[in-house]
Amino acid sequence: MLGGQPVIILKEGTESMKGKTAHNNNIMAAKAVADAVRSTLGPKGMDKMLVDSMGDIVITNDGATILKELDIEHPAAKMVVEVAKTQDNECGDGTTSAVVIAGELLKKSESLIDQGVHPTVISNGFRLSSQEAIKILKEMGIDVSLSDKKSLKLVALTAMTGKGVGGERDALADIAVDAVSSISEKLDGKFRADIENIQVEKKHGGAVADTHLIKGLILDKERTHPRMPRVVKDAKVALVDSALEIKKTEVEAKIQIKDPAQMQKFLDEEEKTIRSMVEKVKKSGANVLICEKGIDDLAQHYLAKDGIYAVRRVKRSDMEKLAKATGGKIITNLDDLKSSELGYAAQVEERKISDSDMTFVTGCKNPKAVSILVRGGTEHVVDEVERALHDALKVVSVVIEDGIVVPGGGAPEIELALRLRDYGQTVGGREQLAIEAFAEAMEVIPWTLAENAGMNSIDILIELKNAHNNKKTGKNFGVNVLENKVSDMLAAKVIEPLRVKTQMIQSATEVASMILRIDDVIASKKTSPAEMGARGPPGGMGGMGGMPPGMM
Ligand SMILES: Nc1ncnc2c1ncn2[C@@H]1O[C@H](COP(=O)(O)OP(=O)(O)O)[C@@H](O)[C@H]1O
Ligand SMILES: [Mg+2]
């Protein structure tokens, strides 16, 4: 206020929320996100059916997928959703846990704020806890080598428990281990396993049990002409990213033809051009043509006559995978097509998978090219199998890269809860309160695992703490939801990559601290699309135009 006059610095319609209101509101939103996914946690967690505005449905148990499908508006809630995304990208698993922990951290800080502890102190305490937690987790880690296929499989199995893939979990885990092992490579003394190199193709029909690994690539494409060979052995593959068609002009053009002879000449010329394109392919020695663009009917006819197997309109990403797999080069100008640019595969074959024809490129030059053909009764089943498989592939690749696992079933979280409390005492002061809150928040994982399995969470937590207090035997004890008791998780074969747990702690802590430090939310008035149009493109210096030169 200036002499009774309010000073307005923000545009009309801007909403602002300050201090405690802002805090409460943000924390509530973040907790709501956590509550939305909580019931899906663990092997006995339930699934959710999501219906989008178009009426499409997704049935899933995967935290990241649920949050991706929801139309979340609240800014703080959106920040929590980001945590799930990061977790998914980094580890492929642990998304629900990360979100649930973030929500729990905020819930615990709410009561600390009510007791008068300043948010910065809490956020500081959380940071210290997170650093200590990573240390403790690393101590719990168990080394796993690339050749230890048994452990790799257990990691895949743990990641897939509870994900609607039921009885086929075992077979899928084998596929995941097989696929990731075959693409992993050693670079500068470190193992790398980039699951981008594994092609996953979905086709509904059949059963989940029909899902299988193919040493090679699959294209969801049929050969363009029925007279082309169905199988080509010793395939020399031409990869072309330009069309085998007569170019259409960009501008609308008209040609006036006055007599029929001219017309015939015109058509002959077209035919000649097409013929010469096919000729170039043939001359290179190729017997398979994979084209990113279209192939003209006439060209198809000639290709078939020459015994060349051709597919068209192949995705760019598949072209690149093919280039890598067959050792061929993607050619734009047909004149550059030489035999040295061709890729090699022992066999290219069209196979009928349920009601569509697909092209299988197998026995490639590069043995690291593998694909998985995902099958299942309906589209929804296939989608959920693909998501489960993605989790499994990612966790196996993470273990191959890092070589360390920890027990699952809430064992690490309980260990953290106990040891962080001890750590808090060494820190003292108000931060200790925050560290204790952090420790308590860790218990939400075993608590929820037990709750979702219909066990008594209070009893389970007491039993778990007793077990963990016995340092020698107990630190791997967790919630054995399949047998309704607490037991050694290593013996129960429930193991997860260390990175899933460290990433989960780090990102949950970061987002909680960030939300805690916000004490003012200033939201501009939402601009309707009509207004956006009237204002012209955003940005620019338009608003500064009226300022005196000295201000710039
Ligand atoms: N057989 C099992 N027994 C007990 N806990 C398990 C078992 N399999 C997985 N878990 C635990 O379930 C939790 C993961 O549940 P999940 O629904 O996959 O959520 P997230 O999205 O966090 O991975 C982890 O804490 C994991 O250790
Ligand atoms: Mg999981």
Side-chain angles (χ1 to χ4, degrees):
M1 302 279 264
L2 252 181
Q5 282 287 316
V7 182
I8 296 168
I9 57 163
L10 296 172
K11 209 171 117 195
E12 189 186 351
T14 303
E15 280 174 28
S16 157
M17 209 190 319
K18 281 193 187 303
K20 233 180 141 57
T21 331
H23 259 130
N24 288 343
N25 188 290
N26 284 338
I27 291 176
M28 231 159 56
K31 277 197 315 196
V33 174
D35 285 340
V37 293
R38 235 183 117 141
S39 68
T40 68
L41 185 79
K44 295 278 180 85
M46 302 297 276
D47 295 352
K48 290 197 187 284
M49 178 190 250
L50 307 160
V51 187
D52 71 9
S53 53
M54 304 294 286
D56 287 338
I57 57 173
V58 174
I59 299 167
T60 186
N61 176 290
D62 188 61
T65 310
I66 296 170
L67 296 173
K68 198 161 62 194
E69 294 290 329
L70 295 180
D71 248 335
I72 289 181
E73 269 277 337
H74 196 285
K78 277 189 178 160
M79 289 167 65
V80 178
V81 175
E82 286 300 316
V83 170
K85 277 194 206 150
T86 317
Q87 183 78 23
D88 199 32
N89 291 340
E90 292 291 322
C91 324
D93 195 20
T95 48
T96 316
S97 311
V99 169
V100 168
I101 288 186
E104 196 65 15
L105 284 174
L106 287 164
K107 192 161 140 197
K108 299 283 181 230
S109 21
E110 219 175 4
S111 53
L112 284 181
I113 295 176
D114 286 343
Q115 288 166 41
V117 183
H118 196 273
T120 7
V121 176
I122 303 177
S123 133
N124 231 348
F126 281 2
R127 193 175 40 82
L128 291 173
S129 313
S130 145
Q131 284 165 356
E132 184 66 19
I134 308 277
K135 266 191 232 157
I136 300 171
L137 285 171
K138 283 189 178 152
E139 281 170 31
M140 287 185 86
I142 303 148
D143 292 340
V144 167
S145 78
L146 175 65
S147 54
D148 184 358
K149 295 258 155 74
K150 258 196 199 134
S151 299
L152 292 178
K153 181 174 174 185
L154 292 180
V155 173
L157 282 172
T158 304
M160 283 193 289
T161 12
K163 305 250 180 275
V165 289
E168 310 311 331
R169 214 161 53 101
D170 204 72
L172 292 175
D174 280 330
I175 292 176
V177 173
D178 212 1
V180 183
S181 310
S182 49
I183 56 124
S184 66
E185 52 199 344
K186 206 166 186 177
L187 283 176
D188 307 330
K190 265 188 159 175
F191 280 105
R192 288 268 309 136
D194 186 356
I195 61 163
E196 293 286 311
N197 291 329
I198 301 170
Q199 190 202 25
V200 179
E201 200 63 58
K202 297 184 282 189
K203 198 92 234 169
H204 63 89
V208 179
D210 299 331
T211 300
H212 63 284
L213 182 78
I214 289 141
K215 302 266 172 177
L217 293 177
I218 317 165
L219 299 171
D220 191 359
K221 297 277 171 197
E222 52 187 355
R223 64 211 154 115
T224 54
H225 198 285
R227 279 219 292 278
M228 287 172 180
R230 187 177 282 279
V231 187
V232 176
K233 298 237 187 257
D234 256 333
K236 315 226 171 16
V237 187
L239 301 163
V240 175
D241 71 354
S242 60
L244 266 75
E245 287 169 337
I246 300 292
K247 273 207 188 84
K248 305 248 171 9
T249 48
E250 297 262 327
V251 286
E252 215 174 308
K254 266 191 200 140
I255 302 176
Q256 281 203 353
I257 294 174
K258 294 205 182 80
D259 80 272
Q262 226 176 357
M263 177 73 188
Q264 193 52 48
K265 224 171 128 198
F266 189 74
L267 291 177
D268 288 349
E269 200 54 41
E270 263 200 14
E271 196 178 324
K272 232 168 87 190
T273 318
I274 295 277
R275 178 75 239 193
S276 92
M277 284 178 171
V278 174
E279 207 49 52
K280 283 174 199 159
V281 176
K282 192 182 171 201
K283 234 178 73 198
S284 72
N287 50 12
V288 172
L289 167 68
I290 312 267
C291 185
E292 195 182 326
K293 303 275 165 51
I295 300 178
D296 185 89
D297 286 351
L298 193 60
Q300 290 174 24
H301 165 79
Y302 285 135
L303 285 164
K305 250 178 131 178
D306 289 339
I308 296 174
Y309 183 116
V311 285
R312 61 176 168 177
R313 303 201 195 289
V314 173
K315 275 189 298 193
R316 182 74 201 176
S317 55
D318 285 345
M319 293 295 289
E320 277 158 11
K321 286 202 184 93
L322 277 164
K324 217 168 166 182
T326 63
K329 287 215 179 70
I330 302 176
I331 298 292
T332 306
N333 187 346
L334 284 176
D335 290 326
D336 299 339
L337 197 59
K338 287 193 238 41
S339 68
S340 57
E341 318 281 307
L342 300 177
Y344 176 82
Q347 178 167 309
V348 173
E349 183 192 8
E350 183 185 276
R351 276 187 226 163
K352 202 170 191 65
I353 302 294
S354 63
D355 57 354
S356 57
D357 296 311
M358 299 174 98
T359 297
F360 287 70
V361 182
T362 47
C364 300
K365 196 173 193 173
N366 176 358
K368 285 197 191 311
V370 295
S371 324
I372 298 171
L373 182 62
V374 180
R375 307 299 311 278
T378 71
E379 219 176 308
H380 303 121
V381 173
V382 176
D383 286 348
E384 185 68 350
V385 171
E386 188 205 14
R387 282 190 287 269
L389 203 51
H390 167 263
D391 285 10
L393 291 172
K394 188 74 200 181
V395 288
V396 173
S397 78
V398 166
V399 174
I400 287 183
E401 287 183 356
D402 297 355
I404 308 181
V405 295
V406 289
E413 287 86 355
I414 279 290
E415 185 71 9
L416 287 178
L418 294 170
R419 293 193 37 196
L420 284 174
R421 277 197 188 90
D422 297 343
Y423 168 70
Q425 283 177 352
T426 65
V427 175
R430 289 191 166 207
E431 263 87 2
Q432 183 180 344
L433 294 176
I435 295 170
E436 275 165 8
F438 190 101
E440 243 173 76
M442 293 298 118
E443 292 172 8
V444 71
I445 298 295
W447 175 282
T448 313
L449 283 175
E451 186 176 74
N452 287 349
M455 294 189 245
N456 184 324
S457 299
I458 301 180
D459 293 347
I460 292 289
L461 239 59
I462 295 173
E463 279 181 53
L464 274 180
K465 283 183 191 168
N466 283 338
H468 278 251
N469 275 328
N470 183 347
K471 290 257 168 344
K472 269 217 197 84
T473 57
K475 75 175 182 338
N476 297 328
F477 266 58
V479 193
N480 190 332
V481 296
L482 305 178
E483 289 171 29
N484 278 317
K485 59 174 192 193
V486 305
S487 74
D488 188 310
M489 284 292 118
L490 294 183
K493 304 194 164 122
V494 179
I495 51 175
E496 298 185 81
L498 170 70
R499 201 198 294 176
V500 168
K501 295 292 158 190
T502 51
Q503 180 67 42
M504 163 191 102
I505 296 284
Q506 274 164 342
S507 29
T509 312
E510 274 165 18
V511 77
S513 304
M514 209 181 256
I515 291 178
L516 276 176
R517 284 200 305 263
I518 300 170
D519 78 334
D520 200 351
V521 178
I522 306 164
S524 310
K525 189 176 143 196
K526 281 235 168 89
T527 333
S528 67
E531 279 174 291
M532 289 271 274
R535 250 193 359 198
M541 299 285 284
M544 309 281 264
M547 266 185 207
M551 297 281 286
M552 303 291 277

